[in-house]
Amino acid sequence: MTAPNLEQIIADHAARYDEDLTDWLACSCGEWRIDSEQLDYSGDADRQADRAHAAHVVAAIRDSGNTVIALPKPHGRWAEGPEWVQGANLADRSGWVTWTAEGAGMVMLQRVEPGELTPADAADLGAALIAAAQHAGDTQ
Ligand SMILES: [Zn+2]
């Protein structure tokens, strides 16, 4: 797996404030800026600007073909290792199961039939596979 160079992408989109820190916030890429007139000063305007810039940086990461996902915690344990189960339903076990044994250095996938994954199912399975792969690599 190719590790994305997120550090470079984030460095290319550093926040730049005006001298007084009051008039505008811009991005070092030159393609994004928010002016003080665009902010709602009834709330926390600085946080609004920072959140808007953070959304711009996240969009830049996505536009680069990368993504950041939250890896799921194992839903339980089976035999000698953690397992991830579709829908986190350990009792049902009708969907996919991803499993790895401590120290085995391998990941097992069960119950995935051709054409049965929705996009959301595929994303969940992908996150579970990455979590299992990291666990397998860490315990090898
Ligand atoms: Zn930028």
Side-chain angles (χ1 to χ4, degrees), residues 115-139:
E116 72 176 13
L117 295 175
T118 66
D121 292 340
D124 289 345
L125 175 57
L129 282 169
I130 292 170
Q134 283 192 352
H135 185 88
D138 291 346
T139 60

Side-chain angles (χ1 to χ4, degrees), residues 2 11 17 44 57-58 60 64 70 73 77 90 92-93 96 113:
T2 304
Y17 296 89
D44 187 344
V57 175
V58 169
S64 73
K73 301 281 185 217
R77 290 185 66 83
L90 292 168
D92 178 6
R93 292 178 176 273
W96 55 257
E113 298 298 326

Side-chain angles (χ1 to χ4, degrees), residues 12-13 27-32 53 56 60:
D12 290 344
H13 296 274
C27 185
S28 62
C29 73
E31 297 180 15
W32 182 91
H53 183 250
H56 164 72

Side-chain angles (χ1 to χ4, degrees), residues 97-116:
V97 176
T98 301
W99 173 83
T100 184
E102 308 289 352
M106 300 294 288
V107 173
M108 182 176 70
L109 173 63
Q110 293 180 309
R111 296 192 200 109
V112 177
E113 298 298 326
E116 72 176 13

Side-chain angles (χ1 to χ4, degrees), residues 6 9 13 54-69:
L6 294 180
I9 296 168
H13 296 274
H56 164 72
V57 175
V58 169
I61 290 169
R62 288 187 177 147
D63 290 349
S64 73
N66 294 293
T67 192
V68 177
I69 62 169

